[in-house]
Amino acid sequence: MKPLLADRTLRPFLLLIVIVAAIWLLDGGQGRFFTAATAFSVLQQFATVGPIALGLGLTMIIREFDLSVGGMMSLAGCVAVLSGVGSPPLGIAAAVLAGGIAGLCQGGIMVRLRLGSIGVTLGGLLTFGGIAYVVTGNLSIAYPRMDIAMAVNQKILGVLSLRSLIALAAFLIAAFVMARTRIGRDVYAIGSDRRAALVAGVPVGRIVVGIFALSGMLAALGGSLLSYSLATASGVALTDALVPATAAAIIGGVSLTGGKGTPIGIIGGVLVLSLLRAGLNAIGTQPSVQDIVTGGVLLIVALADAPDLSRRLFAVQVYRKRAFG
Amino acid sequence: MTDQTARITWQLPLPHSRRGRVLVGIRLVAVLALVAIAIGTPGFLTAVSLFSLMNTMSFIGCVAVGMTFITLSGNILSFALGATLSVTAIVFVTAQPLGLAGAMLAAFVAGAVLTGVQGWVIGNFRANPIIVSMAALALITGVATFVSGGQGVYPEDATADVLKGRIFGNIPIPLAGFLVTIAIAQAVLSFTRFGRNLHMVGSNWRAALAAGIAPARTIVGAYVAAGLCTAFAGVLMAARYSSGDMSLGLGYDYSAISAVLVGGTAIQGGEGSAFRSLIGAFIIAVCQGLLVLHGFSTQVQYLAIGIIVLLVIMLQTLADEY
Amino acid sequence: MTAARLATEAITLEPLARQSAPATSMLSVANLSKSFGPIAALRDVSLDIAAGEIRGICGENGAGKSTLVKLLTGVYRPDGGSITVAGRPCIIATPRQAQELGIALVAQELSLCPDLSVEDNIWLGSLQVPFLHKKPELRRRAAEALVLLGAEHIALAAKVASLSMGERQLVEIARMLTRDARVLILDEPTATLSDVEIARIFAALLAVKREGRSIIYITHRLAEVYAICDRVTVLRNGELIATVELADVDRAGLIELMLGRPSDEMYPEETRDEGPPALVVESLTVPGGIADFSTIVRRGEILCIAGQVGSGATEIVTALAGLAHDATGRVAVDGRALILGSPLRAARRGIMFVSGDRAGEGVFRRLSIFDNLVATRLRDHAVFGFLRRGSLRTTAAALAKKIGIDRRRVRARADALSGGNQQKLAFGRCLDRGAGGILVMNEPTRGIDVGARAEIYRLMREFCAAGYALVLASSDLEEVLGVGDVVITLYRGRQVGRYRRGEATMHRIVADITHPVEAAT
């Protein structure tokens, strides 16, 4: 059991099993939950949060953080909806391109000016959000192609949809790159010890810029697909996407200290979160409970990753020893 | 020894003063440009117009002062201040049967506890402040919505209407409250032991620890101060809108951190002041006012703030890279 | 079993390798010079290292060893002189060029990523790795390199985080081998290793030597020079003093070559009587650092703890300052027990810490000189938490005067000061704290120029005169001898000797901290 738990990629999937079991028990065998419809809604949720969580997770693996994903997501939605009326794939391509350029700029600023990612992406978040507001005129703009909205959400094999398939494909490509290619190895090296990677000859600057470009592109992909499926885009997003995406990445085994975590693990993290939401919905709790659960999980993980936790625990032990023995 | 000395000499940067001068120059040019545009804009430089600008900034300003404490302490920002504002507003409205003072006290306690717990987690265990604040945002929003059932609360009597009025002749109470908050916060930062400790902890956590300054306690203090300022903003807003609900503080975290950074407080912590946040809030207000007078929409204002923040963050390297 | 004995055993297995006469020249350096401003870090150094030779390089701190390494690895460019690799004259302008020429450095701080596997680390950053990086061919070559080093027990799939320090060193060397390094430079590779691990490294180095590759071995530990090197080059003050066959020189002679300079007059005389004991330390232990250390420090006295990197001197002072959370042992300040592990508790009992790592844990660089000077004494100048600005100002002005910083500059930011002046700030912070003070210092003069050093030593005596007790951890032996009233020598976590002023000589101390086995005999 212990080696199973120690495997960061496997952990979210174990958690998944536990949650399924728990929901089954809570459900009391009424069959409210285990239907193809819930599976479909879990996967739709996965398609929404997944790409953003993946991009954010990749930036966390190199020990940075991309706060701008929320702003990028809403901006991309606007770009896709506005430019994709004639040809929907073109809209997505335009949005992803915009995301890539935006990420490239952010990464470039960080590497060139040696700035922390938090500050730069905070500026990026506000700027992208601002552009989205300007583009939409602070209104939600409708996407006139209902056929596309139907198409991306069309059920495939009962539980999947075009949207969730695209998200899944993004994850699988990322998983392959991270596990099998030199670039993936370099990414882990940078997150593990940036100085050592630099000394060993890893092109650190290029990879950092590339990861932020990728994060921008993934957020844009998620945002444009979401906008297509809702047939609307608006400038309001900001943290709405950021918190669940962060939680998913962290549950999925990505460490705040960098160098750890895999795309497959992040899939697990996103599924855990989506399943919790769907499960809590199905057994009839209020939506606010989902927030509480997400927040609680984030807090626990932040604590577990805190550098001084062990020191504090040690201090407690020493005091106990002194007091009682 | 010689080669170590040599290494130090080798790495000597450009004279610091020159970098500083470049930075001051850029800021000066920016402010002068702003002033020039302001003068060139008919109808802007009237007292009424400036006054109303500042008045609209007073709620954001109070939260920005709170955020200043967090940024100064080296913990960058909190995403949970907006939610804290909403909760304190709800608490204030709910507690109004206790009288004005009692209700305000309840709101202050609520604000201090909500952020103080985050400060404790961050200061004691050195947990990641961004993640903790995200967790707090989700928890506060979730619990508050759960408890209130997602409904806003409305006062049953007019206890809080006093806060809608004006004092000292013609100054609206929110603006007066904002200025008082700035004054108190600046006094705490400049003239108390806690304030100086906060600068040290934010400037260099390890050096503060090694020097025997309690970093954990100081960080808790910073978060409590942030909670108090936010709670004050919550009280003022609840009085102004005669209601309290979870949407009151939406987006206030971003506006607040923008004001803090535009004012020139360093994002790495240790350097800055409440007064700078006042300047930052003022600059943002002026920009917004100018954009409105020149016929730009509110949306363009959002974008402008975003770009200003990005530029300010990029400018900080000029001062800090050596 | 000691390092030396294990090492000699390793060597006796390979007597032939040691005796084979060096033939061709692998790396040749002629009249290499480098200065930084007015300071000459390296003057006219000429070396000739043969293929298959292990060359030791010795010298005190600041002798120019690390400058030489940086010139050879392309970090610095020389002011004059030439470098020839395998008969071809070349210019090494960047680290990449050094790599292409086959010159590889194993630095004290390893460049391994702990979250990556051994195999990935070996190939990290290599230009030979294709896009799909997991190739059987590469795995085979990595395994071969490990086998050559006698490290076949290290699994290629294991995470580097799970390896011991010695194993990591071997992985780093294996990486250099796969990059076809012809000249391997090792900078103090054994500083943090255990005896067994040192023996392993030595065996690996001899295997590398047998391949006909050359090794430059930089160390403070003379025992290791004798155990593994063919010849040794001694540097002093940036100049090459001698290159000798180890058979021709004994330990005493080598130490003579390393020191050989009169100590200057920068150390003020002690002026004190036997004071009362201020600090009593009993069986202080920091896991992985220092074992069972006991001592007494009296008021008005400077205790110097001398030791090289990895000796445990740093751990002693950081533990006393409360910065080592896993330190155990009994410490009493003025007869009252102090519980270790909290810098706050230590500070409250009057223990103040001055670190050589000024930027990291010494000075608040973004704050003003004023703020830095009064940082720790705000409590004394506050009424109900409110500071009395006037009295703080006078205090800061008085302190600035004492440490020799112009009082008109106290509003300037601390990072506008030179390193020496920054360090004086850290000392100034500790001045005038009543008679109860204990000052613990870790390499306080690291990277500081001579003038500022003299002032810092003067300040230390001032502390003594004010009744402070001082504990100083240092690897700068001249400093240790110059300022120490009592000198304790450490070797790898254990105390070797304890001397009063006058009893200790440079030879004695060098012997203790480099090779205590011989010193005992």
Side-chain angles (χ1 to χ4, degrees), chain B residues 182-257:
Chain B
I182 292 267
I184 293 176
Q186 193 54 54
V188 166
L189 287 174
S190 297
F191 302 122
T192 66
R193 201 150 71 85
F194 162 70
R196 299 322 297 170
N197 284 351
L198 187 60
H199 280 86
M200 288 187 252
V201 170
S203 167
N204 189 338
W205 199 93
R206 271 172 64 209
L209 185 72
I213 297 159
R217 235 176 282 166
T218 311
I219 286 174
V220 173
Y223 273 84
V224 167
L228 292 176
C229 293
T230 309
F232 190 48
V235 167
L236 292 176
M237 276 187 87
R240 163 88 176 264
Y241 296 110
S242 293
S243 70
D245 68 78
M246 283 313 288
S247 66
L248 266 189
L250 224 54
Y252 267 58
D253 347 72
Y254 294 102
S255 309
I257 188 67

Side-chain angles (χ1 to χ4, degrees), chain C residues 145-202:
Chain C
L146 286 178
V147 170
L148 174 74
L149 295 175
E152 52 278 343
H153 63 284
I154 301 177
L156 281 174
K159 287 243 161 79
V160 163
S162 69
L163 302 185
S164 72
M165 285 314 292
E167 288 169 329
R168 291 183 196 197
Q169 203 105 44
L170 290 171
V171 172
E172 180 106 7
I173 296 173
R175 179 198 279 168
M176 301 310 174
L177 291 183
T178 59
R179 289 186 186 183
D180 296 320
R182 290 181 289 184
V183 181
L184 216 56
I185 306 175
L186 290 98
D187 187 3
E188 295 258 10
T190 54
T192 50
L193 302 188
S194 71
D195 294 345
V196 181
E197 287 180 321
I198 290 174
R200 275 218 186 107
I201 298 278
F202 281 4

Side-chain angles (χ1 to χ4, degrees), chain B residues 21-315:
Chain B
R21 254 179 267 146
V22 170
L23 187 77
V24 170
I26 292 173
R27 283 196 182 142
L28 213 62
V29 167
V31 170
L32 283 179
L34 201 61
V35 170
I37 298 170
I39 292 172
T41 307
F44 183 74
L45 277 185
T46 58
V48 181
S49 148
L50 286 178
F51 223 64
S52 74
L53 270 181
M54 281 317 289
N55 201 20
T56 55
M57 285 308 288
S58 46
F59 307 118
I60 289 174
C62 284
V63 182
V65 174
M67 193 72 88
T68 311
F69 281 95
I70 292 176
T71 311
L72 263 178
S73 72
N75 292 304
I76 309 167
L77 79 165
S78 166
F79 283 122
L81 290 192
T84 309
L85 186 151
S86 306
V87 168
T88 51
I90 293 174
V91 168
F92 175 70
V93 172
T94 318
Q96 273 185 13
L98 301 174
L100 184 62
M104 281 177 76
L105 188 68
F108 281 133
V109 169
V113 169
L114 285 178
T115 51
V117 170
Q118 296 168 56
W120 182 76
V121 170
I122 293 164
N124 262 284
F125 304 110
R126 304 205 65 196
N128 184 312
I130 304 265
I131 305 290
V132 170
S133 80
M134 280 185 193
L137 168 66
L139 281 173
I140 293 173
T141 313
V143 172
T145 314
F146 188 78
V147 172
S148 68
Q151 302 293 307
V153 288
Y154 303 93
E156 286 166 7
D157 50 31
T159 321
D161 283 357
V162 203
L163 295 177
K164 283 180 176 171
R166 288 163 183 263
I167 50 167
F168 303 133
N170 205 17
I171 303 175
I173 285 186
L175 179 56
F178 171 40
L179 295 177
V180 168
T181 311
I182 292 267
I184 293 176
Q186 193 54 54
V188 166
L189 287 174
S190 297
F191 302 122
T192 66
R193 201 150 71 85
F194 162 70
R196 299 322 297 170
N197 284 351
L198 187 60
H199 280 86
M200 288 187 252
V201 170
S203 167
N204 189 338
W205 199 93
R206 271 172 64 209
L209 185 72
I213 297 159
R217 235 176 282 166
T218 311
I219 286 174
V220 173
Y223 273 84
V224 167
L228 292 176
C229 293
T230 309
F232 190 48
V235 167
L236 292 176
M237 276 187 87
R240 163 88 176 264
Y241 296 110
S242 293
S243 70
D245 68 78
M246 283 313 288
S247 66
L248 266 189
L250 224 54
Y252 267 58
D253 347 72
Y254 294 102
S255 309
I257 188 67
S258 303
V260 169
L261 294 177
V262 170
T265 293
I267 197 167
Q268 304 92 326
E271 200 186 346
S273 66
F275 185 68
R276 288 190 197 183
S277 299
L278 169 68
I279 303 276
F282 188 69
I283 289 177
I284 289 178
V286 167
C287 286
Q288 285 183 339
L290 285 174
L291 288 170
V292 167
L293 281 180
H294 280 279
F296 289 100
S297 57
T298 14
Q299 297 85 283
V300 178
Q301 296 168 22
Y302 282 115
L303 177 58
I305 295 172
I307 291 173
I308 292 173
V309 169
L310 194 57
L311 288 179
V312 165
I313 287 168
M314 282 164 66
L315 272 184

